[in-house]
Amino acid sequence: MRHVGAAQAFAPSNIALCKYWGKRNALLNLPVTSSLSLSLGALGSTCRLEAMDGNDTVTLDGTPLPSDHPFVTRLTRYLDLVRPYADAGYKVETKNTIPTAAGFASSASGFAAVVQALTALYGWELTPEKRSILARLGSGSAARSLWQGLVEWHAGVRDDGMDSFAEPLEAQWPDLRIGLLILEAGEKPIGSREAMQRTVNSSPLYRAWPETVATHLEEIKSAIETRDIQRLGSAAEQNALAMHATMIAASPPVLYWKPESMQTMQAVWDARREGVPVFLTMDAGPNIKLLFQAQDETAIRARFPNMQTATALD
Ligand code: PMV
């Protein structure tokens, strides 16, 4: 038995302030637009990879997953890209510090951690761009999960995707915070892959999406330069709601919102009306993420006591 050893790596989850929604190439996960995210510190995935002969085995948070589990099928197909010989297999152990499949981007941190572990396992000397491209092939948003802080994923224009990778922004904003409100931690009814495709194919509102993103992206980047939470928060919130509007207009509709999601939106808008600078964003799930600055955390926590915030990694 050939045994190459084992390696372990961590990658943070990320939440997009300007969303990626829609692919120009589904096989290569090439996006229609660029996107921009903030990583979640210690919230993310740790992946331990052990090379061995035979079939892959996958455990998630300590539980072995059956070989026909969607995550196993997806991961096995992904690992096919890098197997050094035909019967090379991997023992994969993934641990998440973020609720899986509840719209908390666990596939982003999951695939980014796999790429970092593979890089360590084989001692690959890959540029960060190449690692981001490799992560992108697993899950689009994983391209952004190789770094902490603010990260931009350039859509690129090439058919082979070699110019579609992420990189950290030069301007960072250490006091910018994301608060997670877990309204429902169960599996989502429809995955982002299928939901995205359906939106692109059937939503009459999707036509306006690329231009909308271009405007929001510029606004968000300029707000980051001047650390203007009002401008950043307004653009990020509008971007998320515009993304959901495109999905709701798809056929059949993709609606992730639950009554609690809408109650929470109202609570965020009430807080703002009362002078608390807090904004919201949402991904492919019913949960709400709050966007604010560290100085306002106490006031926001008083209104949203169940809020979970990411702590920095030591
Ligand atoms: O990378 P995927 O296929 O999980 O898609 C992510 C989609 C959103 O989370 C809704 C938006 C984003 O940019 O992360």
Side-chain angles (χ1 to χ4, degrees):
M1 178 171 140
R2 283 167 285 190
H3 194 94
V4 202
Q8 180 170 307
F10 170 82
S13 290
N14 73 77
I15 300 297
L17 307 181
C18 192
K19 309 291 182 187
Y20 146 59
W21 196 251
K23 305 174 200 230
R24 62 186 163 88
N25 178 324
L27 200 63
L28 298 176
N29 286 336
L30 295 179
V32 171
T33 68
S34 295
S35 55
L36 193 152
S37 60
L38 181 64
S39 287
L40 290 186
L43 296 182
S45 307
T46 298
C47 172
R48 185 181 179 278
L49 270 185
E50 196 176 327
M52 55 177 196
D53 288 346
N55 292 334
D56 298 335
T57 61
V58 182
T59 62
L60 185 60
D61 295 327
T63 308
L65 297 180
S67 58
D68 61 349
H69 188 283
F71 179 63
V72 179
T73 320
R74 193 166 156 195
L75 192 56
T76 297
R77 211 171 297 148
Y78 181 72
L79 290 169
D80 286 345
L81 297 172
V82 297
R83 282 179 222 286
Y85 50 93
D87 69 338
Y90 299 93
K91 186 176 167 200
V92 186
E93 290 167 345
T94 296
K95 287 202 177 98
N96 287 327
T97 43
I98 191 134
T100 310
F104 282 126
S106 59
S107 70
S109 55
F111 276 100
V114 167
V115 168
Q116 303 287 48
L118 279 169
T119 305
L121 182 69
Y122 292 120
W124 289 336
E125 287 176 10
L126 291 173
T127 60
E129 289 81 7
K130 295 260 166 60
R131 272 184 288 133
S132 175
I133 287 170
L134 257 186
R136 189 202 75 218
L137 296 173
S139 175
S141 52
R144 300 186 307 241
S145 261
L146 299 177
W147 301 271
Q148 296 288 357
L150 293 158
V151 176
E152 182 176 4
W153 173 15
H154 308 286
V157 293
R158 287 173 58 150
D159 286 342
D160 66 5
M162 292 310 285
D163 57 353
S164 184
F165 55 82
E167 59 182 346
L169 286 192
E170 234 167 78
Q172 291 291 330
W173 189 342
D175 285 343
L176 189 59
R177 292 282 183 279
I178 285 189
L180 307 178
L181 294 173
I182 304 177
L183 307 174
E184 202 181 273
E187 295 276 325
K188 48 192 169 184
I190 166 170
S192 56
R193 234 160 231 247
E194 195 189 333
M196 242 181 231
Q197 220 49 48
R198 192 189 294 171
T199 308
V200 173
N201 294 339
S202 69
S203 172
L205 300 190
Y206 193 75
R207 245 170 281 145
W209 178 246
E211 214 176 298
T212 306
V213 169
T215 309
H216 288 153
L217 194 58
E218 210 170 296
E219 176 73 2
I220 287 171
K221 282 163 82 169
S222 127
I224 289 168
E225 292 287 338
T226 54
R227 299 202 176 163
D228 184 334
I229 191 68
Q230 292 289 339
R231 281 180 65 206
L232 174 100
S234 304
E237 185 172 299
Q238 210 187 13
N239 181 261
L241 296 176
M243 174 182 76
H244 281 272
T246 66
M247 300 182 204
I248 294 167
S251 172
V254 177
L255 179 59
Y256 287 111
W257 300 358
K258 293 280 178 279
E260 307 82 68
S261 317
M262 276 138 94
Q263 279 158 12
T264 307
M265 283 183 206
Q266 295 293 348
V268 171
W269 296 330
D270 286 347
R272 248 191 355 252
R273 258 193 303 274
E274 289 158 29
V276 183
V278 57
F279 299 83
L280 67 93
T281 186
M282 286 181 82
D283 294 292
N287 300 306
I288 303 256
K289 289 103 185 184
L290 302 179
L291 212 55
F292 55 91
Q293 291 188 99
Q295 67 204 57
D296 299 310
E297 184 161 340
T298 311
I300 292 162
R301 197 171 286 287
R303 287 168 183 265
F304 302 96
N306 297 329
M307 176 175 79
Q308 210 180 313
T309 43
T311 49
L313 278 177
D314 292 329

